[in-house]
Amino acid sequence: MKKFIRSYLVIIIVVAFSAVFLSVSMAIFGNSTTATIDENTRMYLDENTKAMAAIFTTKLEDQLVMLESQVRYFRDIDLSDYNAMKSIIMSTKGIGDFKNIGVANSTGATINYNGKSSGNIMLTDYFKEAMTGANAISQSTYTDEDGDEVLVLAVPIVQNGNVTGMVFGTFTKDILNRLVETVSFGGSSANVLFDDDGTVLARTLDTPFIGDDDVNLYRMINYTSADGSGTIFPYEKGGEQMLAAINSVGVHGWNFAVLMPRSIISDVSDKVARYVVYIVFAVALVFILLLFSILLLMKNLSAEKKDRERITAELGVATKIQADMLPKDFPDRPDVRLYATMTPAKEVGGDFYDFFFIDDDHLALVMADVSGKGVPAALFMVIAKVVLRNQAMSGGTPGEILAAVNNVLCDNNGAGLFVTVWLGILDLNTGVIECSNAGHEYPVVGRAGKGYEVVQGENCPPLAAMEDMEFDNETIKLEPGDSIFLYTDGVPEAKSADGARFGMDAMVTALNEGAQLTVEEQLVTIKEKIDLFVGGIDPFDDITMLCLNYPGK
């Protein structure tokens, strides 16, 4: 106890001495604070402009990611077939802030989700860049089919290693203005996006710092190349001294500028100088509070360690609960052979499979992929799995079952998640599978003595995306000796260290090479090939597979 008290008094003495020293230092600093604060505020303005330019670039990249989510719908169709391309795009919906979403093939022919065409875009800069395999943003605005000035974002569609088309989306100038405004420096400033010639592309609206007549920023601030390579430029507008902080966006030579009255910096200098004395006392108080905080922290370290151990244990329990929910008792019957596995990308994943007998002669097969990863996806997976099984046991076609489940999930989806599902019901007497696909990967069917191939069909929207949706029914006929392979996108999209994907071709090839293996050996072999391909790096997505062989009655 005495040792603790001596240590405590030493800390108090050190804090008191530091407070006195700090008080003297701050008093000296106050004599020259105005010039220093002026310079620091300029630096702050410059750094924040850089940050806002980076944030704006990130927002554009986020929109490109949204477009990438639409590519999957066109990856397995012939884009030279305009009617097939039109059928798929007409079944999609608008996303994000895009005015329009469309698809183009390699000839530049286009069709939009609203049924209109944007004409032939082969000569546009964004089409040319996207066809090289890169995401693209148009260098300037284009006039669309409605006469609006729009910025165009595009992502390539890659099939078997070749770029065969692209998905594109358009922003109106109003939307672009809104994106610029969302990275605000404050109410006493304005943001401007402009190209390398100074032409204004988007800006903050309803501000006195830039108006409709200010179409070129360089002319407005009287900027010339003689002004040098600085990033902050003084100018005058409406009799008021202004500052323009300019930084590159990193796209097409575009720049992002923040316009601010010079008086704001002066006001900041005056206020800081006035409150220097207050800061001295505040800092001293902080030191004292910090001392007691350290003492409290030391006291609570043990409790926090126990909390971390408890959380780790709970995550382990959650992982086990999720694993236990996936069926492991595979059918032991002469008329069906079945095996399935799920390898999560994190401790708790979002993929799941299921199989269960509706009656003695009908076996339900489910393969699903919840958007997102981790605990939220796993919780949504549990709900979706339970509702799917209960609804299937109540009867109905796969399409009717998915429609009912979709409405239930929409009513309990505060997190905005969705789930892709392939549901099939196999008649063990006939080998006929009646199935329905809610945005999931197409199944692969292996014909006895002929090999495996992807069976494409109708692909409806994912569950929980929108209420009151209809889901189409289809049939697949299995002859004795045939097999069906179900999977999530983590299989073909498994990535190697250099970013290459495992791919559909490699997956089908692996199935054909193991055509004589048992269903369990098939899945083990495919997982080994994926592990060899990715080279030991952490999995990018959950890897879930199910293989069924139908011997026949």
Side-chain angles (χ1 to χ4, degrees):
M1 178 61 71
K2 290 181 179 180
K3 183 178 180 181
F4 174 79
I5 292 175
R6 285 197 298 270
S7 299
Y8 183 81
L9 289 175
V10 168
I11 294 175
I12 291 293
I13 292 172
V14 171
V15 170
F17 177 80
S18 300
V20 172
F21 179 79
L22 184 61
S23 298
V24 175
S25 300
M26 291 295 287
I28 296 172
F29 166 77
N31 294 327
S32 59
T33 187
T34 301
T36 304
I37 293 172
D38 184 279
E39 179 62 26
N40 287 342
T41 305
R42 283 172 173 264
M43 292 174 59
Y44 176 71
L45 176 61
D46 181 47
E47 291 300 320
N48 275 272
T49 304
K50 290 179 181 177
M52 287 188 286
I55 291 171
F56 177 77
T57 303
T58 300
K59 287 180 177 290
L60 288 180
E61 291 172 349
D62 288 343
Q63 303 301 317
L64 286 169
V65 171
M66 289 187 184
L67 286 180
E68 289 175 347
S69 69
Q70 304 299 298
V71 169
R72 64 186 299 171
Y73 298 114
F74 303 94
R75 191 180 295 132
D76 298 319
I77 71 167
D78 181 4
L79 293 181
S80 64
D81 185 344
Y82 190 79
N83 289 329
M85 189 169 68
K86 180 177 181 180
S87 173
I88 296 296
I89 192 65
M90 290 289 287
S91 68
T92 64
K93 302 294 181 182
I95 57 173
D97 290 321
F98 291 107
K99 173 194 174 185
N100 179 45
I101 302 292
V103 62
N105 59 24
S106 60
T107 68
T110 61
I111 184 65
N112 305 333
Y113 82 94
N114 59 11
K116 298 181 180 180
S117 171
S118 296
N120 193 292
I121 58 174
M122 180 177 284
L123 299 180
T124 61
D125 56 0
Y126 60 88
F127 178 84
K128 294 176 181 178
E129 184 173 358
M131 291 304 291
T132 68
N135 291 344
I137 301 172
S138 62
Q139 295 183 12
S140 60
T141 57
Y142 285 82
T143 302
D144 69 4
E145 62 273 12
D146 298 323
D148 293 332
E149 291 295 313
V150 295
L151 184 74
V152 186
L153 279 63
V155 297
I157 300 172
V158 180
Q159 296 176 324
N160 299 324
N162 297 314
V163 180
T164 57
M166 68 174 199
V167 175
F168 63 91
T170 60
F171 285 132
T172 63
K173 202 159 188 178
D174 288 340
I175 296 297
L176 198 57
N177 287 338
R178 194 160 73 239
L179 280 177
V180 169
E181 289 178 338
T182 59
V183 287
S184 174
F185 186 84
S188 300
S189 65
N191 300 334
V192 184
L193 178 70
F194 60 98
D195 64 18
D196 54 353
D197 294 325
T199 301
V200 174
L201 300 174
R203 63 180 178 85
T204 302
L205 301 177
D206 299 325
T207 175
F209 306 133
I210 185 170
D212 294 337
D213 296 333
D214 299 315
V215 297
N216 189 289
L217 185 75
Y218 286 152
R219 286 200 297 269
M220 187 184 82
I221 67 175
N222 298 317
Y223 170 86
T224 66
S225 58
D227 290 324
S229 59
T231 58
I232 298 181
F233 304 95
Y235 67 100
E236 182 179 330
K237 182 174 179 62
E240 184 170 11
Q241 296 299 314
M242 301 286 294
L243 290 176
I246 299 174
N247 274 284
S248 172
V249 172
V251 177
H252 302 319
W254 293 354
N255 293 285
F256 193 94
V258 174
L259 311 180
M260 177 182 291
R262 176 66 178 79
S263 60
I264 290 180
I265 294 181
S266 299
D267 292 343
V268 170
S269 299
D270 293 341
K271 289 179 180 179
V272 172
R274 189 163 56 248
Y275 290 114
V276 165
V277 176
Y278 300 151
I279 293 174
V280 172
F281 292 105
V283 171
L285 179 61
V286 167
F287 266 101
I288 295 172
L289 293 175
L290 180 61
L291 169 64
F292 290 103
S293 297
I294 291 173
L295 295 175
L296 290 174
L297 179 62
M298 293 172 63
K299 180 179 178 181
N300 293 329
L301 280 178
S302 178
E304 291 182 1
K305 181 180 179 181
K306 291 180 180 179
D307 286 342
R308 287 195 297 269
E309 292 173 349
R310 177 182 55 80
I311 292 172
T312 301
E314 289 176 352
L315 283 175
V317 171
T319 303
K320 186 176 186 304
I321 290 173
Q322 183 198 15
D324 290 344
M325 288 198 67
L326 299 178
K328 298 294 191 300
D329 294 330
F330 302 105
D332 183 16
R333 295 171 47 145
D335 54 354
V336 63
R337 303 185 184 99
L338 186 152
Y339 193 75
T341 63
M342 196 279 281
T343 305
K346 292 187 176 182
E347 286 186 285
V348 186
D351 285 8
F352 70 92
Y353 66 83
D354 201 3
F355 56 87
F356 49 91
F357 285 94
I358 296 175
D359 55 42
D360 288 341
D361 298 320
H362 292 85
L363 174 64
L365 304 172
V366 179
M367 183 61 62
D369 185 357
V370 176
S371 62
K373 299 290 180 293
V375 174
L379 293 176
F380 197 74
M381 162 258 180
V382 171
I383 296 172
K385 180 178 179 297
V386 171
V387 174
L388 254 170
R389 178 177 283 222
N390 289 342
Q391 188 64 43
M393 295 301 294
S394 298
T397 67
E400 292 170 343
I401 294 168
L402 292 184
V405 173
N406 176 63
N407 288 337
V408 173
L409 295 180
C410 285
D411 288 338
N412 298 275
N413 191 15
L417 299 173
F418 63 85
V419 55
T420 66
V421 178
W422 186 93
L423 170 63
I425 299 176
L426 169 63
D427 186 330
L428 294 170
N429 292 314
T430 64
V432 173
I433 302 176
E434 187 175 14
C435 55
S436 186
N437 192 340
H440 198 74
E441 305 297 316
Y442 295 119
V444 183
V445 174
R447 301 299 181 185
K450 297 181 180 179
Y452 283 83
E453 62 179 0
V454 177
V455 177
Q456 298 186 7
E458 294 294 331
N459 204 323
C460 302
L463 303 188
M466 183 180 297
E467 290 184 314
D468 299 326
M469 297 294 295
E470 293 184 356
F471 296 86
D472 299 320
N473 289 301
E474 297 180 307
T475 59
I476 298 173
K477 180 69 167 68
L478 298 183
E479 300 294 343
D482 289 351
S483 298
I484 185 169
F485 175 74
L486 307 176
Y487 56 99
T488 58
D489 58 4
V491 177
E493 295 183 5
K495 285 185 177 181
S496 63
D498 59 1
R501 298 181 187 274
F502 187 64
M504 293 292 293
D505 290 344
M507 184 183 75
V508 174
T509 298
L511 286 168
N512 284 322
E513 289 175 352
Q516 304 305 316
L517 300 176
T518 66
V519 289
E520 180 177 357
E521 291 170 341
Q522 274 276 37
L523 299 194
V524 171
T525 299
I526 294 174
K527 183 60 170 60
E528 289 175 348
K529 290 181 180 294
I530 293 174
D531 291 342
L532 181 64
F533 177 80
V534 302
I537 65 174
D538 291 336
F540 173 76
D541 199 356
D542 301 341
I543 296 176
T544 307
M545 300 177 287
L546 182 151
C547 189
L548 178 145
N549 176 262
Y550 176 67
K553 284 289 186 178

